[in-house]
Amino acid sequence: MSINCVRIFPYFPLTETEEMHPELFSIGDFTIHTYGFMIMLGATLGFFYMSYTVKKDLGIDRDKIQNLAILVIFSAFIGGKLFFYLEDPGYYFSSWANMKRNFRTGFVFYGSLLFAIPIIVWYFRSEKWPLWPLMDRLAITACIIHGLGRIGCFFAGCCHGIPTDLPWGVTFTDPVSQAEPLHTPLHPTQLYSAVLIFTILIILFMFKRHKRFEGQLFFIYIILYAFGRGIIEIVRGDEERGYIIDGVLSHSQFISLGVIAVTIWMYLRFKKKASFKK
């Protein structure tokens, strides 16, 4: 079993028993990767939360949520993968071998989000379900899945930060790790993201009982994540994600600005409508 040793630098040295493992276990040629396990754990917990709440509050059967989950997984995979390839289209679309080499790793969250939302809206409309109450519940579900997924990123070394001398810098040493450079303390941007997302999750639960209009939780989730993501991007070190302005404005920061602007406009519009109804 290969080991992805992660060392907290410099005040929190890890012992042999505290090393990070990108592979949970292997049986012959069959391997369970920690990243995939965390994604599946998040998807399972998210499914149970979503199916329980919509059954309890809206009377929607679990079978319908299973169909929704399949559509979301498929659309999120396609969108996340496509946006990843578009970060360097000249390289990835030049040959099938380049696309295949990174087929199981490398996803862009905004690609997954922007592809999944239209599919979700279409499915809700086709089933004649209340759109915005479900989007509020979906925001909480997304936080569960995405937060655990970012912890999986930490084990894999992807989505890593730039080198740092801060005491909580993390050093990746295993050659199979996606972190670059190895043997150098890096900002643990994966953990920054996980903290951001789980903080948003707590905020959503706080607002859940006192929300002023349907859709409020969804808009809060999008605005807070986009704002936090834009800040974390400052210390991201995986530069293959590309820049709109080299070294100044990354693709994700550019998308974040657009997402924040549109979502704030929608939030204020919905809030105004809710005020008129009172």
Side-chain angles (χ1 to χ4, degrees), residues 140-234:
I140 293 175
T141 302
C143 284
I144 295 171
I145 300 172
H146 194 193
L148 290 172
R150 283 304 186 192
I151 295 175
C153 289
F154 178 69
F155 282 92
C158 60
C159 307
H160 59 85
I162 59 176
T164 180
D165 292 327
L166 292 172
W168 54 81
V170 175
T171 300
F172 296 82
T173 61
D174 195 294
V176 303
S177 173
Q178 296 182 43
E180 294 181 0
L182 298 176
H183 308 287
T184 302
L186 307 174
H187 276 282
T189 45
Q190 313 95 328
L191 299 184
Y192 297 168
S193 294
V195 170
L196 167 67
I197 295 164
F198 287 129
T199 300
I200 295 173
L201 180 61
I202 293 171
I203 292 173
L204 295 184
F205 275 117
M206 291 172 61
F207 271 86
K208 188 172 182 290
R209 293 185 178 180
H210 307 286
K211 64 179 181 179
R212 297 182 179 180
F213 57 88
E214 300 294 352
Q216 185 178 20
L217 299 186
F218 176 75
F219 295 141
I220 290 174
Y221 160 61
I222 296 295
I223 293 170
L224 291 181
Y225 176 76
F227 180 77
R229 173 64 184 270
I231 294 175
I232 293 173
E233 281 285 305
I234 296 173

